[in-house]
Amino acid sequence: MSTLICDCNKTMPLQAKSLGAALDESLTLHSSLCRREAGAFQQAIRGNEPVVVACTQEKKLFAEVGSQTEGAVAPVHFVNIRETGGWSRDAAQAMPKIAALLAAARLPEPEPVPTVTYKSAGRVLVIGRLDAAERAAAMLEDVLDVTLFTTGGPGAQERRYPVLGGRIDALTGWLGAFQFTWTATNPIDLDLCTRCNACVAACPEGAIGLDYQIDLARCTGHRACVRACEAAGAIDFSRPPEAQTESFDLVLDLRAEPAFPQHAPPQGYVRWDGQDLPTLLKLRELVGEFEKPKFFVYKQKLCAHSRNEKVGCDACIDICSAAAISSERARQQIKVNPNLCVGCGACTTVCPTGALTYAYPRAGEQGLKLRTLLATYLRSGGRAPTLLLHSQQHGQLLVEDLGRAARLRQLQGVPAHVIPVALWHTASTGVDLWLSAIAFGATQVVVLVTDEEAPQYLEGLKAQMAVAQAILRGLGYTGTHFELVRAASAPALDAALQSLGQTRQQGPKEVARFAVAAEKRTTLELALDHLVAFAPAAPDAIELPPQGAPFGTIAVDKDRCTLCMSCVSACPANALQDNPQLPQLRFLEKNCVQCGLCATTCPEDAITLQPRLLLTPQRREARVLNETQPYGCVRCGKAFGTLKAVEAMLGKLAGHSMFQGEALERLKMCGDCRVIDIYSAQNETRITDV
C-alpha cells in the first residue's frame, strides 16, 4: 500500500520520517500533490495496491486525473489530515495523531451489506394554499408530475395541474410509496369545475373562494351557486363524502404543521417555507432508483421487548426519531421498517441485549478502526489520546471550519491529542465501544453533537455515558472519561476542545488487544474483564443508574413469591432459571439485561429490578433467589407443586361453590390421582348417568 502526504504548499509541519516509521513505509513529502506533483499520484495508482491520499479537498480532481491515467486500477482512500490537526496551533506535536489517521485510512472498506431500494417515477403531491402550491408547482413541473391538494387560498385562472380538495385523513409511506387518503367533503367536484367563476359571482355570502371550495360555515343554503353551475353540473350538495386514496412518489408540504411530526420524516417528504430554493432543487433530483444500506440487523430470539404479550424493554421504540420501529408484542418482537430507518443507530446503542446491531459499519469493523487509531497513536509517542466522535454531516463541517479558522490564527484548532472519528451518526456507538476504546488506551471519549440530533438521542447518549462513567468510577479510575459536547459553531467547538486538556483521566496501565465482537454483550464482557484486571479499586459491586443500565440483579419478595415460574418462561436472556429437581428459582446475574419482563410478568408483584455490576465470581454462577418445600400428593405422595403455591390456590378457591368438600380435597392431589379419584368416587354424577 502506498501513502501520499502533502503539506499543502508548506502550510503544515509534516515530518515524513516519523510518519513513515509509524506506518512502516518510506514516505515522500509533497507540497503540491494536486497540481505540479500530480505525476506522483498517477504513478502510485498504476499498481494494484490501494493508495492513501492525505487530502480530501481535491478528491474530485484526483478522481478526474485517475480517470485519465492509463493503467490506473488501484483503489484510492482519502483522509483529511489538514483541518483535523495539520493546521492547528499545536500541529508540530500532532504527528502521532496524523500517523493514526493515516493508519486508519489504510484499513479495508466495510464489508457490503444488503441494500434498501427506492423507486420514484416523480409523481409529487404538493399540499398547501393553492396560490403557494401553484408557485411551487411551476418550479417542479418540467421534471415532476405535479398534483396539488388545496387547503384554501386563491388559485390561478388557468388550470395547469390536477387539484384535489377536502379533508386529509392519512398520509403514510416513504420515497416512491406514499399513500395519501382524503375525503372529498366539498360540494364542488373539482374535476367537473370549469373555473367559469359563475358560482363565485352568484354566492351572496362570499362563501366560495377562488380555490373553488365552499366554506360550509358561511353558506346559508340558498343554492344560487347550483343554479349558476347548471350547465357544468359540478356542484351537488347531496353528494355524500367520499374517501379516496392515491399513491405518490414524493410529497411537498407547505403547511405550518408537518404531516410527520417525528424528528426524521420519511425520505421523499419535504417541507418548504416558500423561500428555500435548495429544498426544491433537492426534490427535483428525487426521480429514479436509489439505494441505501440496510443499517441494522435484528435477532428476534435475543430481543427483550415482549413475552406472552407483556412488554418489557421498549428502549429502541422510544428513541427512534424516524418512527421506524413498532411493537409486535403478540409475536414477541419488534418490527423495523428499513424504508423509514435513517441509519442513526440509536436503537442499537440503547439495546441491552444486542438484538439490534449496527450493520454498516459492523461493530467489529468500527472496533478495529478505533483500536488501529489508538495503537498507532500510542506507538508513535502520543500520550493521553481523546477520541472525538462526530457525524459525517454537520459535525464534520464544524471540524473543517475549526481547522480553517486555526490556519487563519483565529482559533486554536483540534488539539494534538484529540483524534476526530467520523461516524454516519453520533448515536450509533454506545457503552460497548466506548469502554472498549478506554481499554484500547483512550483516556477520554467525546461525542460531538450539533443541531441535527433528535432530543431523544441526546437523552439516550447521556444515559449511556452515565452508565459507562459509573463503571469506571466504581473501578477507581479517576477523571471524566465520557463527555457530550454540544456546539453549533467553530468557536464553541474550539472552546470545548481546549477545555478537555485541563483535567486528567486515569486509564488501565496496559492496553487491551481483544477484537470487538459482533455480539454487544460479548464485547462488554471483554472490555470489563480488561478494565477490572487493571482497576485501581476492587469493589464487590458497582451501583448503576436505573436508566439504560444493561447489568443488574433482581430482588424477590419471598413472602409474595409462590414459585409459579412465570418469570422464568418470560426471561429472554436465560438469567432466571428453575431447578428440574427442586422447587427453586435461580438467577444467573451475568445474563440479566434489566429489561423488566420478569417484574411485568410476575402475578404477585414480587420482583424488583436493581441495576448494578457485580464483580465477584458469583456473577457467573447461578444462585438461588427463592425456594420452598415441594407439595406431595395426599394420595400417592408424588411431588407435583410447591407448598406455597398449593396453599395459595386452596386459600383462593376455598370459598368457591365448585370447590367444596371432596372437590377441594382433589386440589391436593397430582393430576393422575385426581382423575382416579373422580372415577372411583361413588357420589359423583357421571355423564353416562344423565
Side-chain angles (χ1 to χ4, degrees), residues 257-527:
E257 294 296 323
F260 298 95
Q262 62 261 33
H263 184 270
Q267 296 186 59
Y269 173 81
V270 177
R271 297 186 66 203
W272 190 48
D273 59 4
Q275 305 294 327
D276 184 19
L277 288 180
T279 298
L280 290 189
L281 294 176
K282 174 184 175 182
L283 192 68
R284 289 168 58 93
E285 297 174 354
L286 295 179
V287 180
E289 186 169 320
F290 307 91
E291 287 188 345
K292 71 174 183 182
K294 185 182 177 184
F295 288 99
F296 64 92
V297 174
Y298 176 58
K299 298 178 181 177
Q300 188 272 337
K301 69 177 183 179
L302 297 179
C303 183
H305 173 60
S306 68
R307 290 292 185 278
N308 305 320
E309 297 198 16
K310 298 286 187 181
V311 175
C313 174
D314 53 5
C316 58
I317 298 174
D318 292 339
I319 204 169
C320 181
S321 71
I325 306 178
S326 56
S327 171
E328 286 191 337
R329 62 181 184 178
R331 300 180 63 188
Q332 301 186 160
Q333 65 179 17
I334 59 163
K335 183 178 181 180
V336 186
N337 188 327
N339 295 285
L340 295 178
C341 174
V342 295
C344 67
C347 57
T348 67
T349 296
V350 299
C351 179
T353 66
L356 276 169
T357 55
Y358 203 62
Y360 193 73
R362 297 175 177 85
E365 294 164 336
Q366 195 69 270
L368 176 61
K369 182 177 182 179
L370 298 184
R371 191 176 65 176
T372 300
L373 284 167
L374 293 167
T376 306
Y377 177 89
L378 295 170
R379 188 171 64 249
S380 303
R383 300 182 62 186
T386 293
L387 293 179
L388 175 64
L389 309 182
H390 62 82
S391 72
Q392 294 178 2
Q393 291 80 38
H394 292 189
Q396 186 160 308
L397 289 176
L398 267 186
V399 171
E400 291 173 354
D401 288 346
L402 175 57
R404 177 181 289 187
R407 174 70 186 95
L408 299 175
R409 295 295 183 262
Q410 297 170 349
L411 298 172
Q412 298 292 320
V414 182
H417 72 284
V418 176
I419 307 173
V421 181
L423 307 172
W424 175 257
H425 201 285
T426 51
S428 63
T429 62
V431 63
D432 53 333
L433 282 175
W434 297 342
L435 288 177
S436 296
I438 300 299
F440 292 151
T443 56
Q444 198 169 25
V445 177
V446 177
V447 179
L448 169 63
V449 295
T450 61
D451 57 357
E452 63 184 331
E453 283 83 8
Q456 59 264 43
Y457 292 169
L458 304 183
E459 294 304 315
L461 288 171
K462 289 177 183 176
Q464 290 281 299
M465 285 188 172
V467 170
Q469 192 62 64
I471 291 173
L472 291 184
R473 284 180 179 160
L475 292 173
Y477 294 107
T478 58
T480 301
H481 299 80
F482 308 101
E483 283 198 29
L484 193 66
V485 170
R486 187 161 195 171
S489 65
L493 175 59
D494 194 48
L497 295 182
Q498 296 305 316
S499 67
L500 295 177
Q502 298 176 6
T503 58
R504 292 182 60 84
Q505 293 80 30
Q506 185 181 8
K509 294 180 180 179
E510 293 186 17
V511 298
R513 292 176 174 81
F514 64 84
V516 170
E519 298 79 18
K520 182 175 187 175
R521 303 286 293 191
T522 302
T523 299
L524 278 171
E525 292 296 327
L526 291 170

